[in-house]
Amino acid sequence: MSKIQIPDFLAIAESLQTDVRRYAKVYCLQWFDDSFQNQGFTDASFEPWEKRKEPDRRPGGAILVDTTFLRKSLGVLAETDNRMEFGTHVPYAGLHNNGERMRLVQYVRAHHRTRNGKREQVQAHSRKIDTKFPKRQFIGESKQMMDGLDKWLLNQISIRFKQQGNAKL
């Protein structure tokens, strides 16, 4: 009678727990970074970003990529045993990701300017600014991203059981 080797379920679970967290961080951050490369966000399907309005300050340049500050600022903001929160501390990220409207009053100091070769005095004044930023989502929950993580996890479980012994799923 041959002995069947029973896998060490606890050891597999502990090694998977640390590896899943590490893989999820890298995979999700890469997914969000790819949004900048692809110029759109992929949830259930790819949603391209709205083009810039004319006149375009940087014709042919990538949308939301000027200094790459926003793109490089993506990271893990909070992490617990059961949850990971991705985001950025860049103040204008929410305007672009969610497509928000910004209303404010701009106060202009008195100053001089040159127009047509003549120096003019500009009085202090204020102006209302009402700007609508189009939604250009680059970070958030994605069905395809979660499916990729699930696929990787199931594959890892299968591999680790096979490594432990002859147990089959």
Side-chain angles (χ1 to χ4, degrees), residues 23-24 65 112 132 136 143 153 160 168:
Y23 182 80
V65 181
H112 291 91
K132 171 77 172 105
R136 293 183 175 132
K143 184 182 180 329
L153 180 60
R160 290 167 197 234
K168 293 181 182 174

Side-chain angles (χ1 to χ4, degrees), residues 60-138:
I63 299 170
L64 292 187
V65 181
D66 190 8
T67 62
T68 68
F69 183 69
L70 178 61
R71 185 177 184 173
K72 290 180 180 179
S73 70
L74 299 174
V76 178
L77 298 181
E79 186 176 350
T80 64
D81 290 339
N82 302 325
R83 193 165 182 264
M84 215 177 285
E85 185 178 324
F86 296 94
T88 176
H89 291 293
V90 176
Y92 54 84
L95 288 173
H96 294 296
N97 196 55
N98 305 326
E100 296 176 4
R101 183 178 212 160
M102 183 173 68
R103 292 178 176 172
L104 55 98
V105 176
Q106 182 181 33
Y107 297 98
V108 180
R109 292 182 180 176
H111 63 280
H112 291 91
R113 74 168 169 212
T114 305
R115 198 160 56 172
N116 298 330
K118 295 181 180 177
R119 185 176 171 152
E120 298 176 346
Q121 173 70 33
V122 177
Q123 298 290 325
H125 63 281
S126 64
R127 62 179 150 233
K128 293 180 182 176
I129 297 176
D130 185 9
T131 306
K132 171 77 172 105
F133 288 86
K135 182 178 181 181
R136 293 183 175 132
Q137 185 175 3
F138 54 89

